[in-house]
Amino acid sequence: QVQLVESGGGLVQPGGSLRLSCAASGSIFSRAALGWYRQAPGKERELVAKVSSGGTTNYADSVKGRFTISRDNAMNMVYLQMNSLKPEDTAVYTCALGVYPFPSYYGQGIQVTVSS
């Protein structure tokens, strides 16, 4: 069984930065793809960033150049560095993991609010 626990969310001003972290339990971490989803009120859930087991990254157009996903297989951690944050980045961010299919597991989510 896999458990995912997010941390690092909160309130930040427009233009600021936050780093989200996700700690994973379980033995499949190094073989799994990892990602971050977000869902804003009244909107569908969106895959923001994904990193494959081999390190290939993909980003939603809305965050390209501002967000960076990374993984640490030794620590079973995945990170989302968010820079130049905008009010429209406000959402609940959720960590996800999966070998096949992706995703198979989700964290509980963490709130990110971008506001002055």
Side-chain angles (χ1 to χ4, degrees):
Q1 188 69 11
V2 173
Q3 290 187 328
L4 302 169
V5 180
E6 300 96 340
S7 61
L11 174 65
V12 62
Q13 292 187 343
S17 298
L18 277 178
R19 188 195 196 204
L20 302 183
S21 300
C22 177
S25 64
S27 60
I28 66 170
F29 186 90
S30 62
R31 297 185 288 114
L34 303 161
W36 288 92
Y37 286 81
R38 70 183 180 187
Q39 187 166 22
K43 294 189 176 181
E44 293 188 356
R45 186 167 59 187
E46 172 188 25
L47 179 60
V48 172
K50 182 181 177 183
V51 57
S52 73
S53 58
T56 300
T57 57
N58 296 97
Y59 298 93
D61 288 342
S62 57
V63 306
K64 280 181 181 177
R66 300 188 298 122
F67 289 13
T68 302
I69 188 170
S70 60
R71 64 189 294 164
D72 183 339
N73 289 342
M75 298 297 292
N76 278 21
M77 297 289 294
V78 59
Y79 306 98
L80 186 67
Q81 178 67 43
M82 305 185 293
N83 299 328
S84 302
L85 282 161
K86 305 174 182 180
E88 51 264 42
D89 294 318
T90 296
V92 174
Y93 285 72
T94 303
C95 177
L97 177 152
V99 178
Y100 184 83
F102 178 87
S104 299
Y105 302 94
Y106 293 95
Q108 291 196 343
I110 193 164
Q111 179 69 44
V112 171
T113 302
V114 185
S115 175
S116 55

